[in-house]
């Protein structure tokens, strides 16, 4: 009974503190993610107030948080939209992977890490934070801009790529080797293709099994199906996160819309716990030695994200200011980077990877939204007009006098 009482006190105090931190972050226009990571550092091993009774509870909550983050991402897209975006933005997605994954892998090699750690760091630097970027676009009033569909297409491709990348990394970190990893990748490819085919052809029938009118049945049905499929996927070494993402893709129509509304509070709750748990697993004493390397890596890969957005927007004929807005918006890393780093931490591949990833995400998730505001300043617009690449003049339509 005493342990239960301590558990309630620790979890209650932690959630209240997270609520205050989230409110503080939004007050200053910042993402709450770095504040949650800092809270984990403060309450973890080596922190100011270590949590003793609730660590196992928080670990379970963190696993649920990852699953909810991924199923909510899947609910944002239909299978048809995923396929369409993949075809239209495939060149930009390839450039995104090359520009942002290779620097991470090269950085790990320079540090003398094993190839498994290089594979993990490549994923950490590759994927942008869909949640942070969506919030930034909404806060800046850019959801209707011409470059926004380009940004979302890049994010969709990254989300889909994770369905193949995570099983490969999970298998490699489990010690099955490259061949075993390729086998897991093959299983993931077959699974993803099968789910997409089923979702495209039978998405309405699947969604019809869950009533959108009964709120209680909808919540229990979608949440239960997501946890079940995620567990089965984990058992098959395909990754629980990928299983949750595929469930989100398969659900469409009114059910997806209502499920998004009902699961959003749960996602916010457990996602916060997930970020705290990652902070808990990192000793603050390990942070100072990796701050400068993390800063250098962040500077390089934030510039490569700007290049990615610039290229993607240029392909569809967007002017220079829109290209820069696209590139600057893509800089923050967040949930996926932490998920990937968490896999490495659990496997014990490289002890310096967790503090490096924490510092890296903190740098990009704080500076990214701030730098995304640069195109709105007059001095920046003047600088781009004077020193930026020339923009083709718009063709004026012919008039009757012409």
């Amino acid at each position: 009974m005493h342990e239960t009482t301590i558990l309630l006190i620790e979890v209650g105090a932690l959630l209240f503190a997270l609520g205050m931190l989230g409110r503080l972050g939004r007050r200053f226009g910042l993402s709450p993610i770095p504040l949650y990571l800092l809270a984990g550092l403060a309450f973890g091993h080596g922190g100011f107030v270590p949590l003793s009774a609730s660590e196992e509870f928080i670990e379970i909550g963190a696993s649920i948080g990852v699953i909810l983050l991924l199923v909510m991402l899947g609910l944002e897209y239909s299978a048809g939209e995923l396929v369409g975006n993949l075809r239209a933005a495939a060149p930009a997605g390839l450039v995104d992977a090359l520009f942002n994954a290779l620097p991470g892998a090269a950085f790990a090699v320079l540090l003398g890490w094993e190839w498994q750690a290089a594979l993990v760091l490549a994923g950490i630097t590759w994927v942008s934070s869909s949640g942070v970027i969506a919030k930034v676009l909404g806060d800046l009033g850019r959801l209707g801009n011409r470059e926004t569909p380009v940004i979302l297409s890049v994010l969709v491709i990254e989300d889909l790529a994770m369905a193949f990348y995570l099983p490969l990394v999970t298998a490699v970190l489990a010690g099955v080797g490259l061949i075993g990893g390729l086998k897991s990748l093959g299983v993931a490819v077959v699974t993803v293709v099968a789910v997409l085919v089923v979702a495209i052809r039978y998405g309405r029938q699947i969604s019809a099994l869950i009533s959108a009118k009964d709120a209680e049945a909808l919540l229990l049905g979608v949440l239960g199906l997501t946890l079940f499929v995620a567990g089965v996927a984990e058992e098959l070494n395909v990754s629980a996160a990928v299983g949750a993402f595929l469930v989100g893709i398969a659900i469409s129509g009114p059910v997806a819309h209502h499920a998004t509304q009902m699961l959003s509070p749960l996602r916010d709750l457990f996602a916060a716990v997930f970020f705290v748990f990652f902070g808990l697993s990192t000793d603050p004493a390990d942070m100072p030695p990796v701050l400068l390397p993390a800063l250098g890596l962040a500077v390089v890969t934030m510039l490569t994200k700007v290049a990615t957005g610039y290229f993607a927007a240029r392909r569809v004929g967007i002017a220079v200011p829109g290209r820069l807005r696209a590139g600057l918006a893509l800089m923050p890393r967040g949930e996926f980077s932490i998920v990937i780093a968490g896999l490495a931490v659990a496997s014990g591949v490289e002890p310096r990877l967790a503090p490096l990833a924490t510092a890296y995400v903190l740098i990009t998730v704080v500076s990214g939204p701030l730098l995304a505001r640069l195109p709105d300043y007059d001095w920046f617009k003047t600088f781009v007009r004077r020193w930026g690449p020339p923009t083709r003049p718009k063709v004026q339509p012919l008039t009757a006098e012409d």
Side-chain angles (χ1 to χ4, degrees):
M1 182 63 71
H2 178 69
E3 291 184 0
T4 303
T5 303
I6 298 298
L7 172 66
L8 293 175
I9 293 174
E10 289 185 354
V11 172
L14 178 62
L15 294 180
F16 180 78
L18 295 181
M20 296 300 101
L21 288 174
R23 183 180 180 185
L24 179 65
R26 294 181 181 91
R27 186 182 185 91
F28 292 97
L30 298 175
S31 167
I33 291 177
L35 300 179
Y36 297 155
L37 289 171
L38 290 174
L41 290 172
F43 291 121
H45 301 289
F48 300 111
V49 186
L51 301 178
S52 56
S54 58
E55 189 168 351
E56 184 176 354
F57 177 86
I58 293 173
E59 182 177 1
I60 296 172
S63 300
I64 296 176
V66 175
I67 291 170
L68 290 175
L69 279 170
L70 272 294
V71 72
M72 292 292 288
L73 283 175
L75 288 171
E76 295 294 328
Y77 315 116
S78 68
E81 288 172 339
L82 273 177
V83 174
N85 281 323
L86 184 61
R87 291 174 178 172
L94 179 60
V95 168
D96 180 37
L98 293 175
F99 279 15
N100 298 286
L102 290 181
F107 196 81
V109 173
L110 289 176
L111 292 176
W113 294 358
E114 299 292 335
W115 67 270
Q116 295 93 334
L119 180 64
V120 171
L121 192 56
I124 291 173
T125 58
W126 174 12
V127 187
S128 299
S129 171
S130 301
V132 174
I133 292 171
K135 188 177 187 309
V136 169
L137 294 176
D139 291 343
L140 298 180
R142 296 181 186 172
L143 293 176
N145 285 19
R146 284 193 63 205
E147 74 274 3
T148 297
V150 176
I151 297 171
L152 296 178
S153 295
V154 172
L155 295 177
V156 168
I157 291 179
E158 289 180 350
D159 294 342
L160 185 59
M162 286 299 99
F164 306 125
Y165 172 83
L166 288 177
L168 177 63
V169 170
T170 302
V172 169
L173 294 178
V176 299
L178 186 60
I179 300 300
L182 292 176
K183 289 181 179 179
S184 296
L185 178 61
V187 173
V189 170
V190 172
T191 303
V192 171
V193 171
V195 169
L196 288 177
V197 171
V198 171
I200 291 173
R201 293 189 176 183
Y202 306 105
R204 292 183 179 179
Q205 290 86 337
I206 295 174
S207 299
L209 295 175
I210 304 172
S211 174
K213 298 179 181 179
D214 188 337
E216 181 179 350
L218 173 66
L219 176 62
L220 294 175
V222 173
L223 183 58
L225 179 63
T226 301
L227 294 175
F228 174 77
V229 173
V232 172
E234 187 75 19
E235 191 67 22
L236 297 174
N237 291 324
V238 177
S239 169
V242 173
F245 183 65
L246 295 176
V247 170
I249 293 173
I251 298 174
S252 60
V255 173
H257 174 71
H258 291 292
T260 299
Q261 293 179 326
M262 298 198 67
L263 289 175
S264 291
L266 283 177
R267 176 203 57 190
D268 295 340
L269 169 63
F270 285 103
V273 173
F274 165 68
F275 291 118
V276 169
F277 177 73
F278 188 80
L280 289 174
S281 62
T282 303
D283 191 334
D286 296 333
M287 294 285 290
V290 300
L291 282 178
L292 282 180
L295 179 61
L297 182 62
V299 170
V300 171
T301 54
M302 287 166 73
L303 289 174
T304 55
K305 275 294 181 181
V306 173
T308 298
Y310 191 96
F311 171 81
R314 185 174 181 270
R315 286 188 66 249
V316 296
I318 294 175
V320 173
R323 300 174 197 172
L324 293 174
R325 286 194 296 268
L328 290 168
L330 286 169
M331 290 191 297
R333 273 64 160 192
E335 54 270 20
F336 263 126
S337 297
I338 298 298
V339 169
I340 297 167
L343 294 175
V345 170
S347 66
V349 169
E350 171 56 54
R352 291 174 292 174
L353 186 58
L356 178 70
T358 302
Y360 175 77
V361 170
L362 281 170
I363 292 169
T364 61
V365 86
V366 171
S367 60
L370 296 176
L371 293 174
R373 300 173 184 267
L374 286 179
D376 296 334
Y377 294 114
D378 292 335
W379 65 266
F380 188 83
K381 296 176 184 177
T382 302
F383 178 83
V384 171
R385 283 196 297 266
R386 179 174 298 180
W387 302 104
T391 302
R392 294 181 181 179
K394 295 181 179 179
V395 178
Q396 298 294 332
L398 295 175
T399 63
E401 296 179 358
D402 296 329

